């Protein structure tokens, strides 16, 4: 490899023209007198910057305020009836099959669940007859 | 660093590497006028930065390459392609000199540029890798592959 490298190194290189040297000399001379370039090309007045900040802050607050209004959940409502029993209530006394009742005139058909505090169960009213728990 | 000091640093760098930068630009553009324009453009932009880059050598050579590729895209390939070597060859055997010219032109762009940077710009593989943004192994393998092709061509077409 060394012979090839030597062969190439011995080959003279084409020099740049005197025109390039002249252009570069002018470039450096001009650069000496040119001031350091600023980070921002234009000067922005302080009052304009402050006004822009306030405008963005106000716009952001306005949009954020609209989005933070609570949106009601249109999903299924669950009504929980807390039933305190002494164990003597007859079975079926509190039949709250949700499909047959429209509670409080609401157009939605709420799902009714029964919480039995004594037995610690929470059942759907539809399943009440299938299980042995629930209101007793 | 003050403006005058920065300009002086850049000017000294140009004067110390003027031939290598021009040769590298010529290796990419294959046109002497384009190579001169590239070198001028690169130093215009460097001075406009206002502060020296962290690593001047790889940065400048990388800038030369990028500017040369842009210039090549703008002008199209020069016809005929101009060699990096001076013509005619004053010191070596003219036939060998001509062979060297043609052989270098026959290499791929990466191989040719790496050989130019290594042999004529005197850069190390680490500096070449930094300038080309590749690994040191990649730069070394470009160089080695280029020389192997030249050697094979030299053995086959020994003038």
């Amino acid at each position: 490899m060394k012979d090839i490298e030597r062969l190439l190194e011995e080959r003279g290189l084409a020099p740049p023209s005197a025109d390039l040297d002249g252009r570069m000399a002018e470039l450096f001379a001009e650069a000496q007198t040119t001031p350091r370039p600023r980070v921002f090309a234009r000067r922005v007045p302080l009052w304009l910057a402050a006004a822009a900040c306030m405008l963005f802050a106000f716009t952001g607050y306005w949009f954020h305020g609209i989005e933070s209004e609570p949106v009601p959940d249109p999903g299924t409502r669950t009504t929980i009836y807390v039933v305190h029993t002494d164990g003597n209530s007859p079975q079926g006394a509190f039949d709250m099959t949700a499909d047959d009742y429209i509670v409080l005139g609401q157009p939605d058909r709420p799902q009714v669940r029964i919480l039995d505090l004594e037995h610690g169960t929470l059942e759907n009213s539809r399943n009440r007859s299938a299980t042995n728990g629930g209101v007793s | 660093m003050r403006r005058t000091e920065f300009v002086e640093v850049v000017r000294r760098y140009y004067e110390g590497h003027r031939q290598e930068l021009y040769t590298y630009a010529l290796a990419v553009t294959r046109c002497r006028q384009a190579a001169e324009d590239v070198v001028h453009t690169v130093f215009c932009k460097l001075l406009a930065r206002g502060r020296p880059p962290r690593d001047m050598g790889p940065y400048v050579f990388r800038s030369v390459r990028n500017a040369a590729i842009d210039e090549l895209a703008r002008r199209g390939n020069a016809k005929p392609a101009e060699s990096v070597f001076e013509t005619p060859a004053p010191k070596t055997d003219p036939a060998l000199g001509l062979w060297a010219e043609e052989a270098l032109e026959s290499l791929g762009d990466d191989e040719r540029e790496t050989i130019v940077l290594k042999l004529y710009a005197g850069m190390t593989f680490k500096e070449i890798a930094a300038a080309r943004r590749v690994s040191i192994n990649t730069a070394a393998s470009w160089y080695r592959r280029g020389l192997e092709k030249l050697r094979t061509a030299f053995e086959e077409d020994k003038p």
Side-chain angles (χ1 to χ4, degrees):
Chain A
M1 294 290 188
K2 294 293 179 189
D3 51 348
I4 297 292
E5 287 174 322
R6 196 180 63 247
L7 182 70
L8 290 170
E9 281 170 345
E10 284 173 2
R11 190 75 169 83
L13 295 173
S17 68
D19 180 55
L20 176 63
D21 291 337
R23 287 164 71 186
M24 296 304 291
E26 276 179 31
L27 177 67
F28 289 122
E30 189 185 337
Q32 288 283 7
T33 55
T34 307
R36 182 192 292 268
R38 283 205 299 267
V39 176
F40 295 104
R42 294 184 188 170
R43 285 190 182 278
V44 177
L46 187 60
W47 66 265
L48 186 60
C53 286
M54 288 191 64
L55 176 67
F56 287 128
F58 174 74
T59 307
Y61 179 76
W62 185 63
F63 275 114
H64 179 71
I66 289 175
E67 286 179 2
S68 61
E69 286 177 5
V71 176
D73 182 5
T76 306
R77 280 180 291 173
T78 301
T79 303
I80 298 178
Y81 292 87
V82 180
V83 177
H84 296 275
T85 65
D86 55 2
N88 293 325
S89 304
Q91 199 171 15
F94 295 96
D95 182 6
M96 296 166 191
T97 307
D99 285 347
D100 297 334
Y101 288 86
I102 297 176
V103 180
L104 301 179
Q106 296 295 326
D108 297 329
R109 295 184 180 279
Q111 179 188 31
V112 177
R113 304 186 80 183
I114 300 173
L115 172 65
D116 186 344
L117 288 178
E118 193 170 330
H119 294 93
T121 58
L122 179 63
E123 302 175 8
N124 294 328
S125 63
R126 197 177 306 180
N127 295 330
R128 196 169 141 269
S129 57
T131 62
N132 209 16
V135 176
S136 57
Chain B
M1 182 183 277
R2 294 200 316 208
R3 177 78 178 158
T4 50
E5 288 171 8
F6 167 63
V7 173
E8 187 58 26
V9 164
V10 174
R11 188 187 63 78
R12 271 194 257 117
Y13 184 84
Y14 166 73
E15 286 176 359
H17 297 83
R18 138 187 191 279
Q19 178 67 62
E20 294 89 338
L21 291 168
Y22 171 74
T23 301
Y24 188 43
L26 185 53
V28 178
T29 59
R30 272 40 159 267
C31 171
R32 296 186 182 182
Q33 184 59 51
E36 292 188 1
D37 290 343
V38 161
V39 172
H40 186 260
T41 301
V42 164
F43 279 88
C44 279
K45 289 183 178 174
L46 182 56
L47 289 168
R49 261 175 71 101
R51 64 186 189 282
R54 188 166 47 204
D55 213 344
M56 182 80 96
Y59 177 88
V60 173
F61 276 90
R62 191 164 56 240
S63 301
V64 164
R65 183 173 193 269
N66 292 339
I69 290 171
D70 290 344
E71 190 69 19
L72 199 60
R74 201 173 63 82
R75 293 185 184 222
N77 284 324
K79 287 184 171 50
E82 293 179 287
S83 170
V84 299
F85 300 117
E86 62 180 342
T87 52
K91 293 176 185 175
T92 58
D93 180 345
L96 269 177
L98 193 60
W99 171 85
E101 226 171 275
E102 290 172 355
L104 204 59
E105 282 301 311
S106 69
L107 296 178
D109 292 339
D110 294 327
E111 292 154 359
R112 183 177 56 254
E113 290 172 30
T114 307
I115 287 175
V116 165
L117 289 173
K118 184 81 173 78
L119 291 182
Y120 302 117
M123 292 173 84
T124 62
F125 285 126
K126 188 177 177 184
E127 289 168 332
I128 295 171
R132 290 296 309 273
R133 287 212 163 119
V134 295
S135 68
I136 297 176
N137 286 341
T138 300
S141 71
W142 283 342
Y143 181 73
R144 195 173 47 248
R145 213 164 47 227
L147 283 187
E148 279 169 10
K149 287 182 184 176
L150 290 177
R151 185 177 184 77
T152 306
F154 180 75
E155 292 298 326
E156 286 174 0
D157 311 322
K158 218 166 197 172

